[in-house]
Amino acid sequence: MTLKNQVQLITYPDSLGGDLKQLHQVLRGPFADLFAGGIHILPPFPSSGDRGFAPLTYLEIEPEFGTWEDIRSIGEEFDVLVDLMVNHISRQSPYFQDFLEKGRASAYADLFITLDKIWADGQPVQADIEKMFLRRPLPYSTYSTPGSGEEKVWTTFGKTDPSEQIDLDIHSPLTRELLQRFFENFKAQNVKIVRLDAVGYVIKKLGTSCFFVEPEIYEFLDWIKAMADSLDIELLPEVHAHYSIQNKLSEYGCWIYDFILPYRVLEALTGRSNKELYSYLQTRPHKQFTMLDCHDGVPVKPDMDDLIDTKEAQKLVDLCVERGANLSLILSEEHKAPDGFDVHQIRCTYYSALKEDDDAYLAARAIQFFAPGIPQVYYVGLLAGSNDLEQVALTGEGREINRHNYTLEEIEAETQREVVQRLMKLIRFRNTYSAFVGTFRVLEAADHEIRLMWEHGGDYCRLFIDLQNYQTVIEYVDEQGQEAVYRV
């Protein structure tokens, strides 16, 4: 399929109105004509944790959110994007529960990575573990089973011990059959794009970091891409990694996420200098999904490794913390910076990171929309939401700072705010102006300015931002062929 070069929305199934039916109502009502590009619905499946990212199955929709009919209905008007946690599935899934009950005799046993698949005797070796890019203190969990008493299985993610997220063995024919079944169901339910969440972790190989292991990762991507292509489903691999890995994925032909842009834009606006942003915009791949905010945080390590001076980065981090942010940190010593800098993500709303300055926020969005790629706007960012410190205190989960659920009444009130009205106007311009399918250029500018341009046929639009006062202006050729000025 061909993706639409227009703005997409990212939202939880219950964050705009409470369920999928209300989400559809909001997309037709207050947000009508904004998201022709598509809707990324964060996991609407039954899940046992991590706000949907520990799915029990992909064959059902969590009843609290609605039904597949709701997804199909949204899919008739919008390209729907959903996540597939290709690396893992829930501990509460019928597959793993059967394994816990029957042990190795379970029909599903081969879906999982018992430690004897990694170490011949099933005994973990600390020296091997120390080389790995860890997301928890140990990459496995121990579970009780009636037959053998206990089983150790690979668990890359999970805040609990044992983990709620059980890794899948992607080398197993059983796993591939299951993934094919999930994809066939997506096709039947009008899903057009699948984000391969945590795909970088699918290969476990001793002597490596167990993250984006080459060349084995490409064998898996070849297989899953061929399967998705046969169903006319587009893939979006989600990989937080050194920028060189994103470039490799781009060269391989994948759509990739621009996880560098959020930091670069924040740095330009708070430091009032175009230097690093300009350098980046001139060299980045164009086939990207762009974002500023999401359900996690602003990526720092490893996405920005070798692109930032850690002392300067620490100043930006401290500024965000001063504005209410909290941090996600790198666990393994080996993957921290030599000076100890260990910030994985800055968790906050993008609006709060910019000190809730409307002009700065609109300037940030203008840069995002002019950067080549398909722009995604997270629902809290759409409503220029502030840090939800109350929810963080209530839950103890730092990411809740940017996960506020809006009622229909709140949405109605928020969309009347001037900053939101201005953003919606900018989204409409990005969706409809013809030059965005043409040629992109970074124009020469003073250090405190940003000048970007698109041209196609006789049409062009030029973005000018003064970083000293955040005034943003777009000059463009209107329908009458006259030069017009749009003050964002």
Side-chain angles (χ1 to χ4, degrees):
M1 65 166 287
T2 305
L3 297 183
K4 298 185 181 85
N5 179 24
Q6 292 171 309
V7 181
Q8 294 188 353
L9 174 70
I10 310 173
T11 181
Y12 284 102
D14 57 339
S15 286
L16 292 171
D19 61 24
L20 290 164
K21 276 193 173 57
Q22 302 290 5
L23 169 61
H24 199 177
Q25 186 183 319
V26 167
L27 290 170
R28 287 169 157 171
F31 302 152
D33 76 2
L34 288 183
F35 298 110
I39 313 295
H40 178 178
I41 302 174
L42 293 163
F45 317 108
S47 171
S48 61
D50 200 12
R51 192 149 182 191
F53 283 86
L56 275 64
T57 178
Y58 295 88
L59 302 175
E60 298 165 28
I61 297 295
E62 168 57 48
E64 280 183 27
F65 303 149
T67 65
W68 277 117
E69 191 183 334
D70 297 319
I71 297 281
R72 284 198 307 276
S73 178
I74 294 171
E76 278 162 23
E77 293 173 61
F78 306 89
D79 287 352
V80 169
L81 187 164
V82 298
D83 296 88
L84 180 73
M85 275 51 79
V86 72
N87 178 71
H88 52 265
I89 202 154
S90 170
R91 172 187 178 181
Q92 309 303 330
S93 68
Y95 320 106
F96 193 68
Q97 287 298 307
D98 191 80
F99 172 70
L100 286 184
E101 189 186 326
K102 299 171 186 167
R104 301 289 175 107
S106 166
Y108 302 112
D110 201 41
L111 284 176
F112 311 110
I113 305 172
T114 49
L115 292 199
D116 54 312
K117 287 185 176 182
I118 306 292
W119 292 280
D121 61 359
Q123 296 304 309
V125 176
Q126 189 57 31
D128 292 327
I129 292 172
E130 281 166 10
K131 290 190 175 75
M132 296 171 190
F133 183 67
L134 297 177
R135 297 304 304 271
R136 55 201 306 277
L138 286 173
Y140 58 87
S141 296
T142 306
Y143 299 89
S144 300
T145 60
S148 56
E150 65 173 39
E151 281 282 8
K152 288 185 168 63
V153 299
W154 204 272
T155 53
T156 299
F157 297 93
K159 293 196 168 182
T160 57
D161 192 32
S163 174
E164 273 298 316
Q165 290 154 301
I166 315 295
D167 284 42
L168 293 167
D169 180 358
I170 55 96
H171 296 298
S172 164
L174 204 59
T175 302
R176 298 203 175 192
E177 278 170 34
L178 190 64
L179 291 175
Q180 173 122 13
R181 196 172 158 214
F182 293 156
F183 266 83
E184 286 169 354
N185 181 54
F186 289 156
K187 174 67 176 176
Q189 308 299 349
N190 246 346
V191 169
K192 306 289 197 309
I193 312 164
V194 173
R195 183 173 87 146
L196 299 177
D197 189 80
V199 69
Y201 296 91
V202 296
I203 307 293
K204 284 77 178 171
K205 185 178 178 184
L206 293 185
T208 74
S209 67
C210 291
F211 179 80
F212 207 85
V213 178
E214 298 176 271
E216 289 85 347
I217 185 79
Y218 297 112
E219 185 277 327
F220 176 71
L221 286 171
D222 286 344
W223 172 79
I224 204 163
K225 188 173 185 314
M227 188 251 293
D229 285 349
S230 73
L231 298 166
D232 199 27
I233 289 175
E234 191 68 59
L235 293 181
L236 175 59
E238 184 260 357
V239 177
H240 282 286
H242 191 275
Y243 69 91
S244 60
I245 287 179
Q246 296 283 22
N247 290 345
K248 284 176 184 175
L249 274 172
S250 179
E251 285 160 19
Y252 172 77
C254 288
W255 281 94
I256 57 172
Y257 265 114
D258 192 343
F259 287 137
I260 294 169
L261 191 67
Y263 183 98
R264 284 289 180 236
V265 170
L266 201 51
E267 172 188 58
L269 290 165
T270 56
R272 298 176 198 265
S273 163
N274 68 19
K275 186 173 171 241
E276 299 297 346
L277 177 64
Y278 252 46
S279 164
Y280 176 58
L281 288 174
Q282 284 161 333
T283 56
R284 66 189 279 283
H286 283 198
K287 192 178 174 181
Q288 303 204 54
F289 277 63
T290 68
M291 40 83 80
L292 295 181
D293 46 1
C294 67
H295 63 286
D296 282 340
V298 173
V300 186
K301 283 186 69 63
D303 305 82
M304 303 301 298
D305 282 353
D306 296 332
L307 295 174
I308 49 174
D309 175 300
T310 50
K311 287 185 176 54
E312 289 304 312
Q314 190 62 55
K315 287 179 193 168
L316 183 59
V317 167
D318 291 345
L319 182 69
C320 292
V321 170
E322 200 179 293
R323 293 174 180 178
N326 64 70
L327 307 173
S328 159
L329 304 175
I330 297 283
L331 287 179
S332 48
E333 290 300 323
E334 195 175 320
H335 294 94
K336 294 176 184 177
D339 64 359
F341 182 77
D342 62 352
V343 179
H344 174 51
Q345 292 179 341
I346 305 167
R347 300 193 292 214
C348 58
T349 76
Y350 216 80
Y351 186 58
S352 289
L354 291 169
K355 212 176 177 180
E356 302 182 9
D357 181 317
D358 292 1
D359 290 339
Y361 186 61
L362 269 296
R365 288 295 175 190
I367 297 167
Q368 180 197 3
F369 295 167
F370 266 72
I374 294 175
Q376 289 189 323
V377 175
Y378 183 60
Y379 75 99
V380 178
L382 173 65
L383 297 172
S386 303
N387 288 336
D388 194 342
L389 303 176
E390 200 178 307
Q391 199 59 19
V392 174
L394 197 66
T395 60
E397 166 57 78
R399 292 176 297 182
E400 288 292 317
I401 197 165
N402 195 22
R403 295 182 175 184
H404 180 74
N405 287 339
Y406 292 86
T407 62
L408 292 175
E409 293 72 29
E410 281 179 300
I411 293 165
E412 196 175 324
E414 294 300 305
T415 50
Q416 299 314 307
R417 289 167 58 210
E418 188 193 351
V419 63
V420 178
Q421 288 285 322
R422 288 168 66 190
L423 176 55
M424 294 198 298
K425 183 180 176 184
L426 184 61
I427 290 171
R428 290 187 184 102
F429 181 82
R430 173 62 179 77
N431 283 342
T432 57
Y433 195 68
S434 60
F436 287 106
V437 300
T439 306
F440 171 72
R441 285 199 288 154
V442 179
L443 304 177
E444 278 189 37
D447 286 351
H448 68 277
E449 295 174 346
I450 288 165
R451 294 178 187 270
L452 308 175
M453 181 176 182
W454 282 91
E455 52 191 330
H456 180 67
D459 290 339
Y460 64 81
C461 53
R462 284 192 297 255
L463 173 69
F464 169 72
I465 298 171
D466 185 336
L467 294 171
Q468 290 175 328
N469 58 19
Y470 303 131
Q471 293 307 300
T472 300
V473 176
I474 297 171
E475 294 172 345
Y476 66 101
V477 178
D478 67 16
E479 287 169 5
Q480 283 72 46
Q482 303 296 311
E483 178 154 301
V485 176
Y486 164 23
R487 297 186 190 283
V488 176

